[in-house]
Amino acid sequence: GSDSAIDDLVDASQSTRTLATLNLSIGRAFAIAKPLAGLTDRPQAAILIRYPLNAALKPYLPLQAGIALAGLAGLILVVLGSRRLALGIAGPIATLDAAARALEEGSHAHIVVKGRDEIGRLAASFNRMSVGILERENRITHLALHDVLTGLPNRTYFRESLDQAILQVGRTGGAIAVLCLDLDRFKGVNDTLGHPVGDALLKAIGAMLSESAPDGLVSRLGGDEYAIILSGQFDADRPRALAQSILDMMRQPVVADGHRIATAVSIGIAIGPADGKDADELLKNADLALYLAKEDGRGVFRFFEPALDAAARWRRQVELDLREAIQAGQFVLNYQPVFDLKADRIGGFEALVRWHHPERGVVPPVEFIPIAEDTGLIIAIGEWVMQEACRQAMHWPEHVRVAVNVSPLQFRNTGFQSIVLQALAHSGLAPSRLEIEITESVFLDGEGPVIALLHKLRTMGIRVALDDFGTGYSSLSYLRSFPFDKIKIDRSFITSIASDPSAAAIVRAIVDLATALHMETTAEGVEDTGQLNMLRGEGCGNIQGYLFSRPVESCRIAGLLENGINQAA
Ligand code: C2E
Ligand code: MG
Ligand code: MG
C-alpha cells in the first residue's frame, strides 16, 4: 500500500541520498534512504531511516500556540493603537486647521495642545509662528502709520484720526481743534549743526509736544511740521492755552544731542466744524493760520479767520500769474537815485522791480516778492533783474553805480555767482559799478556759506551793501561778520529822525559805527529837508528818498543826471 512510497524512495536513492516527508501507514514521517555499495555496480541493499513527524514536532507544539496567541495580541494592539493615534492626531489637526484659518483672517490664534509628542511640538511652533506673524504685522502697521524718527503718528495716521474725529463729533457733538506747528528756522540747525543734531531736535520737540498735549493726538506731518488734534468735549479755551503753553516751553533752549538750541515754533489753529466741514478744509485752514503766524514774525500762534481764505486765494492767483510774467515780459525796472552828499551828485541808482499785471495794473514788489520767494520764482525773476540792471547801467556815466536787491533765496541758490558773472560779461559792466543789496535775513539759515560767497563777490570787485539796517534782531553782530561796503539805514529811523531824539541818536550811532568800520552809509526814505539837514549834520554819506526823487523809469535817468544837483538843494 502506502509503503510502496518507501520502495520509490529507495529506488530514487540509487543515484543520490534523498530526504523526504512521506505519508506512511504509521502517519507522516521523515525518511532517508542510503544505498549500500555491493560487489556489483548495482546496489542490492539500502538503509532506510524513518522518523514519525508527530514525535519530531512534539516539543514545538507549545511554541506554535504561543506564536498564534502573539499574533492575535498584536492584531488587537494594532487596532487599538491606530484608533488612539487617529484620535490623537485628528483632534489637534482640526484645532490647528481652525487656528490657521483664524490667523489667515488676521486674528490672533493660539492653540492649547497638551503633550510632548510631535503634535504637541507642532502646536507649540504654530503658536510661536502666530505670535511672530502678529508682531511683524503690528510692526508693519506701526511703520505705515508712524514716523520712524519720533515714533509719533504720521500724516496718514493723522488724516485717518481727523476723519474719525469729525465723524465722531458729527454724531455726538463737541468740537475739533487742529493745531499746525512749524519750527522756525529749522533748516539753519541742520545746516550749521548737522543732520544728527537736527534729528535729535525733532525728536526732543516731538516728546515735548506729547507731554504738553496729553489730551490730544500729536503727529509729525513731515520735515519740521507737527500737528495736534483735540476732539470731543474740551474747554473752549483749551486750544489757545495749549498753543501758549507750547510757545512758553520753547522759550527755553531745547537740549538735543548735547547742544542747547534756541528754537521757536509758529502755530496755526482751526476749530471745526466752524472752520471746516471735512479734514481737508480744516487742515488747509489751520495751515493758512500757520502761514499768518509765520508772517507775524514767527514764534506766535494765530487762529484761522475767514478773511485769511480770501488772502490765500489772492496768493494762489498771484502765484499762477507770476509764472507767466517773466515770459510775457511783464516786469520792468524803475530806478531811484542815490545822492552822494560829499560829491554833491548822483552816485548811483537802485533798481526796483515793477510788475505790470495785464489786469491788476502795477503790482508793488511788497505784494509779490514774498510770494516769489516762497515759490522759488524769485530765482528766475532775480536773474532777469540782474541782467537788465547791468545792461541799463552801461548807458550811464562811468561814475554812476547800479544797486540790485538780492533776496535770501536767490543769494543762497548755488547758481547765484554764475548769474552775476554772466550779467557782467553780457553787459560788459565793470564789477565795481555793481552793488548788491542784501538784508540780514540771508544770514538766518547759517552764516558760513553766505560769508564765503560774499568774500568771493568782493574778490571779483563787486560791492556789497547791507539793506534795511536796524530792523533785524542782531544787526550789529552781522557788521562783525563781513566788511560791507555800505550800510543802508532803514527808513523807519529816518522818518522819525526830526521828531524823535532817540531815532536821531540811533542814526548817529550807526553812522559813527560805520565810519569806524570804514563803511559808507545811505539813509533810506528821506522825504523832507528837515531830515536831510539832520542827516547831513550826523555825517551820513548818501541819501535816497522821495525828497530827491521817486523811483523812475529808465528813460528819465538822463534827465535826473543833468538836473540832480538843483533838485537836491
Ligand atoms: P528796499 O530795497 O529797501 O527799497 C526801497 C523801497 O523804499 C522802495 O520800495 C522805494 O520805492 C521805497 N522808497 C524810497 N524812497 C522812499 C521815501 O522817501 N518814502 C517812502 N515811503 N518810500 C520810499 P519798493 O520799490 O516798493 O520796494 C520795496 C522792496 O521790495 C525793496 O525794499 C526791496 O526789498 C524789494 N525789491 C524791490 N525790487 C526788488 C528786486 O528787484 N529784487 C528783490 N529781491 N527785491 C526787490
Ligand atoms: Mg534795497
Ligand atoms: Mg531798504
Side-chain angles (χ1 to χ4, degrees):
S2 65
D3 288 357
S4 65
I6 292 183
D7 298 333
D8 295 342
L9 179 70
V10 171
D11 281 350
S13 70
Q14 293 289 327
S15 46
T16 50
R17 191 160 47 114
T18 319
L19 172 72
T21 317
L22 301 175
N23 277 319
L24 300 181
S25 50
I26 55 162
R28 279 174 68 80
F30 292 120
I32 190 163
K34 180 168 171 39
L36 295 173
L39 295 173
T40 64
D41 274 354
R42 277 192 58 82
Q44 274 99 45
I47 292 173
L48 174 72
I49 299 163
R50 318 173 287 171
Y51 192 67
L53 217 53
N54 272 350
L57 291 180
K58 196 161 182 166
Y60 299 106
L61 265 175
L63 190 65
Q64 241 171 10
I67 288 173
L69 217 64
L72 193 67
L75 198 67
I76 291 170
L77 272 176
V78 165
V79 169
L80 284 178
S82 48
R83 208 180 115 76
R84 220 194 94 104
L85 203 64
L87 284 177
I89 291 178
I93 294 235
T95 319
L96 270 170
D97 182 44
R101 213 160 319 143
L103 194 65
E104 198 177 290
E105 281 157 15
S107 53
H108 177 53
H110 180 85
I111 40 183
V112 188
V113 173
K114 281 177 225 127
R116 299 166 148 260
D117 56 357
E118 279 79 0
I119 296 279
R121 283 203 297 277
L122 182 60
S125 38
F126 179 88
N127 284 341
R128 277 197 302 278
M129 176 185 84
S130 154
V131 169
I133 288 176
L134 207 74
E135 274 174 9
R136 232 163 306 157
E137 223 169 72
N138 286 345
R139 223 173 27 239
I140 290 167
T141 331
H142 188 89
L143 279 179
L145 293 177
H146 289 79
D147 162 52
V148 184
L149 180 66
T150 59
L152 291 175
N154 63 11
R155 187 181 281 273
T156 312
Y157 190 151
F158 169 82
R159 277 303 305 256
E160 277 175 19
S161 310
L162 189 54
D163 286 333
Q164 288 299 319
I166 289 171
L167 281 178
Q168 181 69 29
V169 164
R171 278 198 296 268
T172 61
I176 303 160
V178 175
L179 287 80
C180 283
L181 301 93
D182 190 294
L183 292 191
D184 298 332
R185 301 183 189 119
F186 174 68
K187 202 178 158 297
V189 174
N190 262 347
D191 284 355
T192 53
L193 298 172
H195 284 265
V197 179
D199 284 355
L201 179 64
L202 290 174
K203 254 196 206 156
I205 296 212
M208 286 167 73
L209 294 178
S210 302
E211 201 180 300
S212 339
D215 51 342
L217 177 86
V218 178
S219 334
R220 178 170 172 233
L221 301 186
D224 56 354
E225 276 177 72
Y226 301 83
I228 303 175
I229 303 173
L230 299 172
S231 73
Q233 307 294 338
F234 52 84
D235 197 274
D237 189 47
R238 177 63 186 148
R240 192 207 55 77
L242 175 58
Q244 189 58 57
S245 73
I246 292 169
L247 294 185
D248 289 346
M249 198 157 61
M250 294 287 172
R251 264 185 248 292
Q252 299 290 325
V254 178
V255 178
D257 209 16
H259 295 264
R260 286 166 55 81
I261 303 168
T263 53
V265 286
S266 300
I267 307 176
I269 310 169
I271 311 277
D275 294 345
K277 302 171 296 299
D278 55 31
D280 275 334
E281 201 181 349
L282 258 184
L283 195 54
K284 188 198 80 186
N285 288 341
D287 245 347
L288 269 175
L290 171 61
Y291 170 77
L292 262 263
K294 292 238 167 219
E295 293 268 283
D296 274 5
R298 301 157 191 260
V300 297
F301 66 85
R302 283 284 300 258
F303 277 93
F304 169 78
E305 297 154 29
L308 297 183
D309 207 21
R313 273 200 298 277
W314 147 255
R315 260 183 73 87
R316 256 196 302 280
Q317 194 54 51
V318 167
E319 202 181 307
L320 292 175
D321 294 349
L322 265 182
R323 289 182 195 279
E324 290 172 18
I326 300 177
Q327 273 77 23
Q330 294 168 3
F331 291 116
V332 284
L333 290 184
N334 280 3
Y335 297 90
Q336 186 175 35
V338 180
F339 194 82
D340 184 335
L341 288 175
K342 278 198 200 75
D344 205 26
R345 64 178 180 182
I346 291 174
F349 289 89
E350 178 176 6
L352 294 160
V353 69
R354 297 290 178 264
W355 180 15
H356 289 276
H357 192 284
E359 289 130 43
R360 297 179 209 274
V362 178
V363 184
V366 285
E367 285 189 25
F368 71 86
I369 297 269
I371 300 175
E373 275 263 327
D374 286 352
T375 53
L377 290 167
I378 190 68
I379 290 169
I381 298 173
E383 181 172 356
W384 178 85
V385 169
M386 185 65 72
Q387 272 167 0
E388 177 69 5
C390 291
R391 194 181 67 79
Q392 294 268 353
M394 277 303 282
H395 302 300
W396 309 341
E398 289 238 343
H399 71 276
V400 181
R401 297 196 181 104
V402 65
V404 176
N405 291 285
V406 176
S407 72
L409 193 77
Q410 191 188 351
F411 189 82
R412 298 182 66 89
N413 183 41
T414 46
F416 180 68
Q417 198 185 347
S418 63
I419 285 171
V420 175
L421 281 175
Q422 263 175 31
L424 290 173
H426 281 167
S427 61
L429 189 75
S432 59
R433 290 179 62 197
L434 174 64
E435 185 168 85
I436 64 163
E437 293 190 7
I438 54 169
T439 57
E440 60 193 69
S441 54
V442 298
F443 295 110
L444 289 181
D445 284 336
E447 272 186 49
V450 171
I451 303 229
L453 179 52
L454 286 175
H455 280 292
K456 270 190 212 156
L457 294 168
R458 165 69 59 72
T459 315
M460 287 156 55
I462 296 161
R463 290 166 49 96
V464 183
L466 188 56
D467 204 353
D468 302 341
F469 187 80
T471 53
Y473 297 106
S474 42
S475 308
L476 286 180
S477 73
Y478 294 120
L479 291 185
R480 284 180 60 203
S481 325
F482 184 77
F484 293 95
D485 295 285
K486 180 187 264 185
I487 295 172
K488 300 190 76 172
I489 307 167
D490 192 71
R491 177 159 62 88
S492 55
F493 301 108
I494 312 302
T495 307
S496 43
I497 191 172
S499 55
D500 177 0
S502 69
I506 288 173
V507 170
R508 184 179 313 134
I510 295 174
V511 172
D512 288 350
L513 188 68
T515 310
L517 294 170
H518 310 290
M519 298 176 187
E520 282 182 38
T521 46
T522 295
E524 293 188 280
V526 183
E527 294 184 351
D528 59 51
T529 44
Q531 292 163 353
L532 171 63
N533 292 333
M534 299 251 340
L535 287 162
R536 240 195 252 275
E538 305 299 359
C540 184
N542 304 273
I543 58 151
Q544 181 179 350
Y546 294 171
L547 170 69
F548 189 75
S549 166
R550 289 187 173 253
V552 298
E553 288 170 35
S554 58
C555 59
R556 291 184 49 204
I557 287 180
L560 273 177
L561 285 170
E562 273 166 36
N563 311 322
I565 301 161
N566 305 337
Q567 288 189 9

